[in-house]
C-alpha cells in the first residue's frame, strides 16, 4: 500500500457536525 | 472551566450543520482558488488568509456575545480560550496548546483532527507550497486583532503534506494598547 | 489474467490495469500474450453497448425477470440479484474464451473487466469474488471523487488508488 489519507480512512465522516 | 464552558455552549447554544457539507464547500473554494490562481499556491495561501481575516474580525463579535468572555490577562489564558472554547464552539474540535516560547508569548495549536480537510488529498505539485486550511490562520489573526492582540498566525506543518502533525503557530507581536478604550 | 478499466461517460478510460495470471510452469508471470494485450481495449469497448442496454433497461424485478433475451451467449444480468445495489451486472459478454464482466456506479461510471488470457479456453470466474472486487473498487472510487482536487472524468493518476486496486485484485481474483 502507498500511504494515503483518503484511501486509508473510513468513508464514514468522523465529526458529523460543525457550527452553522 | 473553559472546557466546560466550551462544551456547554457547543451542546446547548450552537446551531449545527452537517460537517460534510462544510468540508465539501471549503474544498470547492480551495480547488477553485487553485484554478483561478493557476496553481500559484502562495497566492492561494494569501487569499485564504485574507478570507479568514475577514471572517475573524466579525466572528469575534459572535464569539464574545456567545461566551461573554472577559479580557484575557495573558497569552496563556488566550491560548486556552482559543483551543477549549473557540475551536470547540465553531468546529467541535479542541486542538491542544503546546510548544510555548520561554517568554510565554508564542504557542502552537496541534490539531489531532481537522474538519476542513476531510476527503482531501493534495495534488502532487501542491504538497510543498499549499497550506490547505490557511483560512484558519486568517480567522485567528482577525479575531485576535479585534481584541488588541497583534499576532502572527501561520502553519508550521500539516498532515496533508505527509508531515507528522497539523500545527499552527501563534506569536504575539504586541498588545495594541493605544486602541484599548480609556 | 484480467484487464480492468473504469470507463467514463464519454467511453473514455479513466483508469486501466492488467492483473497478470498465476505463475506459469517456468515460474514466469503469465500475462496476456502480446497480441491480446493490444486487443483488450477493443474487446472491452465492444461490450459497452450491451452494458448500456443493461444500464438503461427498467429494473428487471419489475418485469418478472423478462430481460431482453437478445445478446449472444446469453450473458445477462444475473437474475438472482436480490440485493438492493444492482450495480453488479455479472457476465455481460464474451469474446471467444474471454469473459467480460461489468459493474455500474450510481453516477454511471462503467467498471469493466476481461477475464482469461487466451481465446481458446473459456475461463471460469467466481461471481462472488468478482462482485466483491468491484464493490471494494467502488468504495475506492467514491473516495477519489470526494477529493475536491479530483475533477470527475479525469484519469485517476493516484498511485495509492492503483496500489489498492491491485491489492484487491490479489485478494479477490487470485
Amino acid at each position: 500500500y502507498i500511504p494515503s489519507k483518503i484511501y486509508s480512512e473510513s468513508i464514514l465522516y468522523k465529526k458529523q457536525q460543525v457550527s452553522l | 472551566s473553559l472546557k466546560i464552558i466550551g462544551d456547554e455552549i457547543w451542546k446547548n447554544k450552537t446551531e449545527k450543520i452537517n460537517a460534510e457539507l462544510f468540508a465539501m464547500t471549503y474544498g470547492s473554494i480551495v480547488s477553485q482558488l487553485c484554478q483561478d490562481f493557476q496553481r500559484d499556491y502562495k497566492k492561494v495561501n494569501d487569499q485564504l488568509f485574507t478570507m479568514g481575516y475577514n471572517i475573524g474580525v466579525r466572528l469575534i463579535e459572535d464569539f464574545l456575545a456567545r461566551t461573554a468572555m472577559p479580557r484575557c490577562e495573558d497569552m496563556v489564558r488566550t491560548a486556552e480560550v482559543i483551543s477549549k472554547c473557540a475551536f470547540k464552539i465553531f468546529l467541535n474540535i479542541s486542538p491542544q496548546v503546546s510548544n510555548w516560547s520561554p517568554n510565554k508569548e508564542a504557542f502552537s495549536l496541534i490539531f489531532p483532527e481537522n474538519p476542513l480537510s476531510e476527503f482531501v488529498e493534495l495534488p502532487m505539485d501542491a504538497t510543498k507550497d499549499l497550506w490547505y486550511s490557511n483560512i484558519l490562520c486568517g480567522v485567528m489573526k482577525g479575531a485576535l486583532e479585534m481584541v488588541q492582540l497583534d499576532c502572527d498566525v501561520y502553519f508550521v506543518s500539516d498532515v496533508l503534506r505527509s508531515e507528522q502533525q497539523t500545527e499552527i503557530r501563534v506569536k504575539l507581536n504586541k498588545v495594541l494598547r493605544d486602541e484599548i478604550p480609556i | 489474467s484480467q484487464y480492468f478499466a473504469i470507463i467514463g461517460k464519454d467511453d473514455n478510460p479513466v483508469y486501466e490495469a492488467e492483473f497478470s495470471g498465476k505463475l506459469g510452469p517456468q515460474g514466469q508471470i503469465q500475462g496476456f500474450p502480446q497480441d491480446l494485450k493490444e486487443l483488450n481495449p477493443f474487446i472491452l469497448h465492444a461490450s459497452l453497448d450491451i452494458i448500456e442496454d443493461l444500464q438503461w433497461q427498467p429494473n428487471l424485478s419489475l418485469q418478472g425477470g423478462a430481460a431482453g433475451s437478445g445478446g449472444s451467449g446469453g450473458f445477462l444480468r444475473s437474475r438472482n440479484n436480490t440485493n438492493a445495489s444492482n450495480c453488479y451486472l455479472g457476465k455481460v459478454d464474451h469474446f471467444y474464451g474471454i469473459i467480460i464482466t461489468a459493474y455500474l456506479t450510481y453516477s454511471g461510471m462503467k467498471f469493466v473487466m476481461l477475464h482469461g488470457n487466451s481465446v481458446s479456453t473459456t475461463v471460469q470466474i467466481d461471481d462472488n469474488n468478482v462482485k466483491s472486487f468491484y464493490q471494494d473498487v467502488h468504495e475506492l472510487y467514491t473516495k477519489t471523487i470526494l477529493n475536491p482536487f479530483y475533477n470527475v472524468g479525469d484519469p485517476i493518476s493516484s498511485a495509492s488508488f492503483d496500489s489498492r486496486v491491485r491489492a484487491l485484485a490479489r485478494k479477490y481474483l487470485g
Side-chain angles (χ1 to χ4, degrees), chain A:
Chain A
Y1 281 138
I2 294 178
S4 143
K5 184 172 167 298
I6 55 173
Y7 294 122
S8 38
E9 281 179 357
S10 152
I11 204 165
L12 299 177
Y13 200 50
K14 283 182 289 300
K15 285 282 180 185
Q16 291 309 327
Q17 294 176 309
V18 291
S19 148
L20 179 61

Side-chain angles (χ1 to χ4, degrees), chain C residues 2-24:
Chain C
Q2 291 88 13
Y3 166 68
F4 172 62
I6 297 179
I7 306 294
K9 295 185 181 55
D10 309 326
D11 293 354
N12 54 314
V14 160
Y15 172 79
E16 295 177 275
E18 183 189 308
F19 311 128
S20 303
K22 296 184 179 24
L23 292 178

Side-chain angles (χ1 to χ4, degrees), chain C residues 39 71 75 143 151:
Chain C
L39 209 50
F75 287 109
K143 292 177 176 181
N151 299 316

